[in-house]
């Protein structure tokens, strides 16, 4: 997600990159598992500490803002300081967030903990994914792409389920999951410490802190539809964090923390299917298909809440999750079409800015509205957003402009296309 730093030849130096690759994957999964840990506890905070839906929503916004700022400012720092140092710093920030959340009894503590986690997750997203790509074996060719892109989804899924199980069945329900996550983060940091470095330190660290957000002119016409896709799907992910615990308890009549974790995982896990399914179509067709499936899931979600049917709610969540995975992967593929190494850092900055803005701003607005409106009407608002985004995508989705010479696109990616498959397909 950033410009490429000089990569050390580990094999020539007598060091195997396998330890670095394994350590980076484990650390990436552990990082996002920690960020998902508080979700099954949100109902506990509501019941025992008097937190409102608006305050829980504000915690989601705080996390998103921390991640946005970090990705924009620190996203390229590992190119200059090395992967290991920035990776350890990200794990340390997440560890501090976990320790702070051990004592949540007021909204300020929750917000501070989620802000630390947002900053840590943003730094982990940039440094650990680069570490994975640097150290991944050349065969199979897809391994680097899959490990770096699906590690966060796996972490979120495992973290939410494990948190729900520990909160419901284990002792110290408010504390144990954070202690477990803290232990995993310490273990991950220890693995990074003993792993070899993959990128040489280079000058320009201070200059790299200047945010770079740019989309290449050849794909700029794709940005409005991509923005609609990112906004609707990431807003739904934030909705599941902020309002799903209250909906499951109040409308679907269950207070199981494990079920909360499973419902959140039901939205995140199916997105793993998005890249392989969407890859069978052009980016425009895959965005249309994905958003239609996403809207079908939302129709099921609204219906399940209206008739208070938990099974339908979970099934519709899986459908919406699969649809958003297809649409997001296709939109990202389109924006990266024909990209050069210099293009990717600012392009990913633009992508993540849109994604986390989609998570933050609807949550901020709906959180304030939740003080005056019932959650059922908040749900209809998110459903309306899904309708508008889907209609716009179906009507306006386009493929990237093809370079008629075929030279600039194919040759610019020849050397690294095996590391990032699919970047040159419209």
């Amino acid at each position: 997600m950033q410009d490429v730093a000089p990569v050390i030849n580990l094999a020539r130096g007598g060091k195997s990159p396998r330890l670095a690759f394994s350590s980076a994957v484990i650390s990436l999964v552990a990082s996002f598992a920690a960020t998902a840990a508080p979700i099954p506890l949100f109902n506990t905070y509501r019941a025992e500490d008097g937190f409102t839906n608006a305050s829980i929503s504000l915690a989601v916004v705080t996390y998103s803002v921390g991640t946005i700022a970090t990705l924009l400012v620190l996203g390229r720092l590992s190119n200059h300081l090395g992967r290991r140092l920035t990776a350890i710093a990200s794990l340390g920030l997440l560890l501090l967030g976990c320790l702070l959340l051990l004592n949540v009894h007021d909204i300020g503590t929750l917000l501070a903990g989620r802000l630390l986690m947002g900053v840590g997750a943003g730094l982990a997203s940039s440094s650990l994914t680069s570490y994975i790509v640097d150290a991944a074996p050349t065969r199979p060719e897809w391994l680097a792409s899959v490990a770096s892109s699906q590690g966060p989804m796996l972490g979120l899924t495992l973290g939410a389920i494990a948190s729900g199980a520990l909160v419901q069945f284990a002792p110290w329900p408010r504390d144990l999951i954070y202690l477990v996550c803290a232990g995993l983060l310490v273990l991950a940091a220890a693995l990074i410490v003993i792993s070899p470095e993959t990128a040489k330190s280079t000058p320009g660290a201070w200059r790299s802190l200047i945010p770079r957000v740019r989309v290449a002119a050849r794909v700029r016409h794709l940005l409005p539809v991509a923005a609609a896709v990112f906004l609707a799907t990431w807003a739904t992910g934030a909705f599941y964090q902020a309002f799903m615990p209250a909906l499951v308890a109040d409308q679907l009549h269950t207070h199981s923390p494990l079920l909360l974790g499973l419902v959140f995982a039901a939205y995140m896990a199916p997105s793993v299917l998005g890249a392989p399914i969407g890859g069978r179509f052009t980016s425009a067709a895959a965005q249309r298909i994905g958003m239609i499936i996403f809207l079908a899931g939302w129709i099921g979600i609204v219906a399940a809440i209206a008739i208070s049917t938990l099974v339908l709610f979970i099934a519709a969540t899986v459908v919406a999750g699969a649809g958003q995975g297809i649409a997001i992967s296709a939109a990202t593929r389109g924006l990266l079409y024909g990209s050069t190494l210099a293009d990717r850092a600012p392009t990913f900055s633009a992508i993540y800015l849109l994604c986390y803005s989609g998570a933050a701003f609807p949550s901020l607005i709906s959180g304030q509205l939740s003080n005056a409106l019932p959650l059922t009407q908040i749900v209809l608002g998110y459903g309306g957003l899904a309708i508008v985004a889907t209609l716009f995508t179906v009507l306006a989705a386009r493929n990237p402009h093809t370079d008629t010479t075929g030279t600039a696109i194919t040759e610019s990616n020849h050397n690294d296309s095996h590391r990032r498959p699919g970047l040159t397909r419209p």
Side-chain angles (χ1 to χ4, degrees), residues 49 51 103-111 174:
D49 300 307
F51 288 6
N103 190 35
V104 173
H105 293 287
D106 59 86
I107 187 60
T109 303
L110 178 62
L111 295 181
R174 294 175 63 114

Side-chain angles (χ1 to χ4, degrees), residues 156-290:
L156 290 169
T157 300
L158 295 177
I161 294 174
S163 177
L166 291 178
V167 171
Q168 183 163 344
F169 299 114
W172 315 313
R174 294 175 63 114
D175 303 325
L176 185 58
I177 182 58
Y178 296 127
L179 293 173
V180 170
C181 288
L184 289 175
L185 292 169
V186 170
L187 174 62
L191 289 173
I192 297 293
V193 167
I194 64 174
S195 297
E197 178 61 79
T198 60
K200 295 179 180 178
S201 298
T202 59
W206 286 109
R207 189 169 60 253
S208 74
L209 303 183
I210 301 173
R212 293 173 61 192
V213 179
R214 185 184 72 247
V215 175
R218 65 180 170 274
V219 295
R220 205 165 290 161
H221 66 289
L222 306 179
L223 201 56
V225 171
V229 169
F230 296 144
L231 174 63
T233 55
W234 279 64
T236 298
F239 160 81
Y240 268 77
Q241 293 186 56
F243 298 110
M244 179 268 297
L247 282 169
V248 169
D250 301 339
Q251 303 296 322
L252 302 176
H253 313 299
T254 177
H255 293 81
S256 168
L258 176 58
L259 189 58
L260 291 182
L262 289 171
V263 169
F264 181 73
Y267 183 68
M268 301 306 300
S271 68
V272 175
L273 302 174
I277 294 176
R280 298 175 180 270
F281 307 92
T282 65
S283 60
Q287 286 176 84
R288 292 188 183 102
I289 293 168

Side-chain angles (χ1 to χ4, degrees), residues 5-16:
V7 179
I8 298 171
N9 189 326
L10 298 179
R12 184 177 298 174
K15 298 180 180 180
S16 170

Side-chain angles (χ1 to χ4, degrees), residues 37-425:
I39 295 171
L41 278 163
F42 283 160
N43 273 345
T44 301
Y45 299 151
R46 289 172 63 219
E48 297 181 5
D49 300 307
F51 288 6
T52 63
N53 291 326
S55 60
I56 297 296
S57 179
L58 186 58
V60 174
V61 173
T62 301
Y63 171 84
S64 299
V65 169
T67 307
I68 290 172
T70 303
L71 284 167
L72 289 176
V73 177
L74 304 180
R76 293 176 290 138
L77 194 59
S78 69
N79 290 346
H80 303 279
L81 300 184
R83 312 301 191 207
R84 293 169 66 246
L85 180 60
T86 49
I88 291 170
S90 71
L91 295 168
L93 288 167
L94 288 161
L95 175 61
L96 289 176
C98 286
L99 296 178
L100 191 58
L101 293 177
L102 284 170
N103 190 35
V104 173
H105 293 287
D106 59 86
I107 187 60
T109 303
L110 178 62
L111 295 181
R114 292 303 280 167
L115 180 61
L116 280 172
M117 284 188 160
V119 175
L123 191 56
S125 296
S126 59
S127 61
L128 288 172
T129 52
S130 297
Y131 205 10
I132 288 171
V133 173
D134 292 349
T138 57
R139 294 289 184 274
E141 295 178 352
W142 47 262
L143 183 59
S145 174
V146 170
S148 59
S149 64
Q150 301 308 324
M153 295 298 183
L154 178 60
L156 290 169
T157 300
L158 295 177
I161 294 174
S163 177
L166 291 178
V167 171
Q168 183 163 344
F169 299 114
W172 315 313
R174 294 175 63 114
D175 303 325
L176 185 58
I177 182 58
Y178 296 127
L179 293 173
V180 170
C181 288
L184 289 175
L185 292 169
V186 170
L187 174 62
L191 289 173
I192 297 293
V193 167
I194 64 174
S195 297
E197 178 61 79
T198 60
K200 295 179 180 178
S201 298
T202 59
W206 286 109
R207 189 169 60 253
S208 74
L209 303 183
I210 301 173
R212 293 173 61 192
V213 179
R214 185 184 72 247
V215 175
R218 65 180 170 274
V219 295
R220 205 165 290 161
H221 66 289
L222 306 179
L223 201 56
V225 171
V229 169
F230 296 144
L231 174 63
T233 55
W234 279 64
T236 298
F239 160 81
Y240 268 77
Q241 293 186 56
F243 298 110
M244 179 268 297
L247 282 169
V248 169
D250 301 339
Q251 303 296 322
L252 302 176
H253 313 299
T254 177
H255 293 81
S256 168
L258 176 58
L259 189 58
L260 291 182
L262 289 171
V263 169
F264 181 73
Y267 183 68
M268 301 306 300
S271 68
V272 175
L273 302 174
I277 294 176
R280 298 175 180 270
F281 307 92
T282 65
S283 60
Q287 286 176 84
R288 292 188 183 102
I289 293 168
M291 290 303 290
I292 290 171
I293 295 172
F294 174 75
L295 178 58
W298 254 109
I299 292 171
I301 291 168
V302 173
I305 292 172
I307 62 177
S308 300
T309 304
L310 182 61
V311 173
L312 177 59
F313 183 78
I314 294 175
T317 296
V318 171
V319 172
Q324 65 99 14
I326 296 171
I328 287 175
S329 63
T332 302
R333 176 159 50 97
L335 292 175
L336 291 174
Y337 179 69
S339 64
T340 64
L341 295 178
D343 289 334
R344 289 176 195 152
T347 299
F348 266 109
S349 293
I351 289 172
Y352 277 100
L353 180 61
L354 291 170
C355 288
Y356 280 100
S357 295
F361 293 112
S363 292
L364 182 62
I365 294 170
S366 56
Q368 296 303 310
L369 291 176
S370 68
N371 292 320
L373 298 177
L375 284 182
T376 51
Q377 293 188 26
I378 300 293
V379 171
L380 292 177
Y382 278 93
L385 178 61
I387 292 173
V388 172
T390 301
L391 288 175
F392 182 66
T393 301
V394 169
L395 294 174
R398 298 290 184 270
N399 288 313
H401 295 317
T402 303
D403 187 338
T404 56
T405 67
T407 301
I409 290 176
T410 56
E411 291 184 0
S412 66
N413 292 282
H414 175 74
N415 291 332
D416 73 322
S417 61
H418 72 283
R419 295 298 245 175
R420 296 172 178 84
L423 296 190
T424 59
R425 178 180 177 182

